[in-house]
Amino acid sequence: MKKQITIIANWKMYTSFTQTLTQLTNHFDRLVSLASNKKLTLILAPTLPAIQELAMIFKNTNLTWAAQDCSEHLAGAYTGQISAETLKSIGCGACVIGHSECRKYHGESDETIARKLQVLLDFDISPIICIGEDKEIANTNEIIALLTKQLTPLLKVLTLNRQKINERRIYLAYEPAWAIGNNKTPSHIQIETIYAWLHQFTQKAVPEITIHCLYGGSVSMQTLDFLKKFPHINGFLIGKASLDLQEFEKIVKYIMVENG
Ligand code: PGA
């Protein structure tokens, strides 16, 4: 049986507003055709200001637009921040939270990320929650302890909101920070151990919620032969390799052909 796969393109701050609009609209037909696969959820996370226009251009297609971050607050005197309400109103159906670059550059705590999760659920936006260890922890036996610490406040929020989650998809991306942008991947045994644990830990905490576990960190045509093997991985969060849309199309097709 083919499984449901989610593929997310995280364009970070790589492209300007104009480049983003040009590239994505130039590939309108190909993207729409890719997203029409019933076993695939295709989510694009380009620079935020482009989303409102893109959501209009791609209206009535199966593409989902995602913000790359949001404020933990509902509204108020928070200069420079963007609320979940605004994300919803411009057409975001999903939002990345807890990305290692935000944890690192904005000094985000696990509790801040949990509050972001709450506001996304309040506005019925699918959270794409990122967790993962950095280089210092990677070669120790502290990885599971760290992931437990990152996940615990998030699972509390999911438990409190279990009644209202409804159809909204909850994504959990394991992204080891040291594997982002450098063609490195964890070992076979590390991936197997972590996903088996993630599955068990989240199911025990919130048995009534389906959590879609994804992988992120240097996903490309070079690493997919290895990464596509793991049954608990239900999709991928792709940064750099998603920027070239022809390459991205190849990657998506390759993942979908291999699925099943
Ligand atoms: P990468 O980024 O694919 O360029 O490693 C992934 C991510 O940071 O989400």
Side-chain angles (χ1 to χ4, degrees):
M1 244 266 280
K2 288 190 176 189
K3 60 181 177 181
Q4 191 66 38
I5 299 276
T6 302
I7 300 176
I8 303 167
N10 175 13
W11 279 18
K12 308 191 181 190
M13 206 177 71
Y14 283 123
T15 58
S16 70
F17 174 82
T18 312
Q19 288 165 337
T20 305
L21 280 183
T22 311
Q23 289 180 32
L24 289 166
T25 47
N26 281 351
H27 285 78
F28 180 91
D29 291 337
R30 288 163 146 201
L31 288 166
V32 170
S33 151
L34 279 182
S36 67
N37 185 330
K38 296 258 179 307
K39 286 285 164 192
L40 171 69
T41 303
L42 195 55
I43 303 180
L44 304 181
T47 187
L48 188 68
I51 289 186
Q52 184 163 24
E53 206 161 324
L54 287 164
M56 298 291 279
I57 295 168
F58 284 83
K59 208 173 166 189
N60 300 325
T61 72
N62 290 327
L63 281 163
T64 300
W65 298 98
Q68 297 172 14
D69 195 13
C70 75
S71 174
E72 69 193 276
H73 304 288
L74 288 171
Y78 301 104
T79 302
Q81 299 195 28
I82 312 270
S83 69
E85 184 176 12
T86 296
L87 298 184
K88 185 81 185 180
S89 69
I90 65 165
C92 293
C95 177
V96 178
I97 50 172
H99 192 281
S100 59
E101 284 150 15
C102 296
R103 289 179 189 260
K104 182 171 158 194
Y105 300 129
H106 308 165
E108 278 187 351
S109 69
D110 298 322
E111 288 65 34
T112 301
I113 298 160
R115 284 192 289 275
K116 292 184 177 192
L117 174 60
Q118 181 62 61
V119 295
L120 292 180
L121 296 175
D122 288 344
F123 284 92
D124 198 24
I125 296 172
S126 276
I128 303 164
I129 305 162
C130 299
I131 57 167
E133 78 282 2
D134 55 22
K135 213 166 63 214
E136 283 69 49
I137 302 283
N139 295 319
T140 69
N141 53 9
E142 301 289 305
I143 300 176
I144 299 286
L146 179 89
L147 298 182
T148 304
K149 180 180 160 300
Q150 291 179 339
L151 269 175
T152 300
L154 296 161
L155 291 172
K156 269 193 205 145
V157 173
L158 290 179
T159 305
L160 284 171
N161 290 271
R162 61 189 179 278
Q163 309 293 1
K164 73 168 176 212
I165 284 176
N166 305 326
E167 298 298 298
R168 193 43 75 186
R169 296 269 198 96
I170 309 292
Y171 299 105
L172 179 62
Y174 170 58
E175 292 209 306
W178 56 269
I180 290 177
N182 58 18
N183 255 335
K184 291 187 179 151
T185 57
S187 66
H188 192 108
I189 182 78
Q190 182 175 342
I191 295 192
E192 263 187 352
T193 311
I194 285 175
Y195 282 89
W197 173 81
L198 266 183
H199 198 69
Q200 202 193 18
F201 189 68
T202 56
Q203 278 306 293
K204 194 167 168 218
V206 279
E208 55 281 84
I209 299 173
T210 305
I211 296 183
H212 299 261
C213 290
L214 315 178
Y215 174 81
S218 295
V219 177
S220 70
M221 285 305 268
Q222 282 73 49
T223 55
L224 268 170
D225 269 337
F226 167 65
L227 292 169
K228 69 178 191 313
K229 286 188 188 129
F230 301 92
H232 284 320
I233 298 183
N234 295 317
F236 299 96
L237 181 46
I238 310 177
K240 213 157 194 168
S242 68
L243 287 168
D244 174 341
L245 284 170
Q246 274 174 9
E247 181 72 6
F248 183 59
E249 186 183 11
K250 256 197 236 163
I251 291 175
V252 174
K253 286 185 169 163
Y254 185 60
I255 295 168
M256 296 317 288
V257 164
E258 295 293 315
N259 175 32

